[in-house]
Amino acid sequence: MASIKDVAELAGVSRATVSRVLNETGQIKEATRERVHKAMKKLNYRPNPLARSLATSSSNTVGLVVTSYRGSFFSELMAEVQEEMDQQGKFLLVSRGKRSRESEQKAIQRLKDMRCDGLILHARNLYDEELIELAKEETPFILLDRQVEGLEDRCVAFEHAEAGKLAVNHLIEHGHRKIACLAGPRERLTAQLRFQGYEQALREHHIELDESLVAEADYDRTGGYHAMAEILEKHPDITAVYSCSEEMCVGAFDLFRERRMTVPGDISMVSFDSVSICTMLTPAATTVHFPIKEMAARASEALSGLMNQQPLPALETFKPELRQRESVRTLK
């Protein structure tokens, strides 16, 4: 295996010059730089990342905290951040925050202990005050899908409440008034906001909120199936459903098939959608799109700016988009 000494000898320069070329430090003539790169290529020399990190005081790594490694949502999030980091030549380290404040604290500390140059945090349980304190520390970070007052230049957020309202308004505009809600766990902020949109739409159309039309479940297929069954047990006459996650929507469709209920003939459905699972259903479901891929890309771009000490304006809040398909019928 070639060493830095071999590269220096072939290029006819000192080892210190090779080191400066590798670390992009100091003043190097372009002709000298080209000779070093040609020597590296000929010898198939690969620099040692650890040595380079010690020389530059940079680990060349970025840390990402996610709630879970499972599910299409987190797969899409991690894949997009990985894609962006590949383009920047950064290594990506992922740590799982699970579903508690303590786990998120440990996940962040693990990445800080690994000397990550920056962090992207999909942190749902940390207090705003903790994040504000974290912002005073040396390691820069961007918050993904979270809005914290005072950290606007670090937040890539989404209008969850507006998305929920858009979904339910669409059902109401098609004549539906008895609308069920497959809600997420309401201790989660995003789930609260998505439910808030449901409440707002009903209130603005003078429809009384009936909590018996609401069932909570985790954002997964099994939870959606059982939540839908719970609602239909109490209210077999509902005409429409608003699902707060695409995987819960899939679970509801499982139940409809089992009971030989047709969509939209017997029941209409509008769901949140982030990775287009709803387009694979039969019929394809109308959704409000949650653009996690675009948000992850924006968070990666913003973090790169922070790591390079570039001033950042307040980051944009992404808006929902209604994608009409075939799961809603108009009542006469």
Side-chain angles (χ1 to χ4, degrees):
M1 182 181 293
S3 67
I4 194 170
K5 179 182 177 184
D6 299 325
V7 174
E9 289 178 352
L10 183 59
V13 298
S14 68
R15 281 181 284 182
T17 297
V18 175
S19 179
R20 286 198 295 272
V21 171
L22 288 172
N23 297 319
E24 299 178 355
T25 58
Q27 297 294 319
I28 304 289
K29 291 180 180 178
E30 190 57 35
T32 302
R33 191 185 307 277
E34 287 181 10
R35 287 209 314 276
V36 171
H37 281 298
K38 284 180 181 177
M40 289 169 57
K41 185 175 181 181
K42 186 172 183 178
L43 294 170
N44 196 27
Y45 173 76
R46 297 181 66 83
N48 184 318
L50 179 58
R52 191 172 183 180
S53 126
L54 292 172
T56 61
S57 299
S58 168
S59 67
N60 208 36
T61 61
V62 165
L64 170 65
V65 173
V66 294
T67 301
S68 172
Y69 299 140
R70 298 178 180 175
S72 54
F73 174 88
F74 292 108
S75 296
E76 186 84 355
L77 191 166
M78 289 186 283
E80 186 60 31
V81 175
Q82 180 71 69
E83 182 72 22
E84 293 292 324
M85 291 305 119
D86 285 347
Q87 292 178 23
Q88 295 178 31
K90 298 283 186 183
F91 297 102
L92 179 66
L93 299 178
V94 184
S95 189
R96 186 168 55 138
K98 300 181 181 178
R99 304 191 186 281
S100 73
R101 175 171 157 265
E102 292 76 16
S103 294
E104 288 182 350
Q105 288 173 332
K106 290 177 182 176
I108 292 171
Q109 190 59 53
R110 280 194 294 271
L111 295 174
K112 288 166 62 181
D113 290 343
M114 295 297 291
R115 299 179 65 243
C116 287
D117 296 332
L119 306 173
I120 295 175
L121 307 179
H122 188 259
R124 292 171 165 171
N125 300 290
L126 288 179
Y127 299 146
D128 286 0
E129 293 78 10
E130 291 176 289
L131 292 166
I132 291 169
E133 285 300 310
L134 186 63
K136 297 175 183 177
E137 298 183 14
E138 186 177 354
T139 306
F141 68 86
I142 293 293
L143 283 171
L144 181 56
D145 194 25
R146 179 89 178 255
Q147 189 68 269
V148 175
E149 188 175 350
L151 297 181
E152 288 82 4
D153 61 345
R154 294 173 183 253
C155 297
V156 177
F158 177 70
E159 292 281 5
H160 287 274
E162 186 61 31
K165 183 178 173 181
L166 188 62
V168 179
N169 275 340
H170 183 68
L171 291 168
I172 295 171
E173 287 163 5
H174 282 73
H176 298 275
R177 295 188 67 82
K178 194 161 188 180
I179 302 167
C181 177
L182 302 179
R186 276 188 263 178
E187 68 272 11
R188 295 188 195 173
L189 178 59
T190 56
Q192 292 171 21
L193 293 171
R194 293 179 189 192
F195 182 74
Q196 187 181 102
Y198 171 72
E199 289 183 298
Q200 288 174 350
L202 295 181
R203 183 168 59 250
E204 288 178 11
H205 288 85
H206 309 291
I207 301 172
E208 186 176 351
L209 172 66
D210 182 350
E211 283 283 355
S212 67
L213 289 170
V214 181
E216 286 185 38
D218 210 345
Y219 287 142
D220 59 23
R221 186 170 181 169
T222 301
Y225 176 95
H226 290 296
M228 194 70 255
E230 179 186 328
I231 293 170
L232 286 174
E233 184 68 28
K234 301 172 187 173
H235 298 281
D237 59 337
I238 59 171
T239 64
V241 182
Y242 156 55
S243 175
C244 290
S245 92
E246 58 202 321
E247 294 193 3
M248 288 199 297
C249 177
V250 174
F253 267 63
D254 290 339
L255 181 71
F256 298 153
R257 282 193 299 272
E258 187 179 289
R259 298 193 178 186
R260 299 184 183 279
M261 296 173 65
T262 63
V263 177
D266 295 317
I267 196 161
S268 292
M269 171 76 80
V270 176
S271 176
F272 262 76
D273 180 18
S274 56
V275 293
S276 300
I277 291 176
C278 289
T279 62
M280 303 174 193
L281 296 170
T282 304
T286 292
T287 61
V288 280
H289 185 59
F290 176 26
I292 189 57
K293 182 175 180 178
E294 293 82 355
M295 289 170 65
R298 183 68 184 97
S300 301
E301 177 188 325
L303 181 63
S304 178
L306 271 182
M307 291 189 297
N308 291 316
Q309 298 182 330
Q310 298 172 358
L312 287 176
L315 297 174
E316 66 266 44
T317 296
F318 282 74
K319 304 295 183 183
E321 174 193 346
L322 183 71
R323 296 186 172 180
Q324 297 187 50
R325 300 190 181 98
E326 306 156 9
S327 63
V328 178
R329 76 181 179 101
T330 302
L331 298 184
K332 296 178 181 179

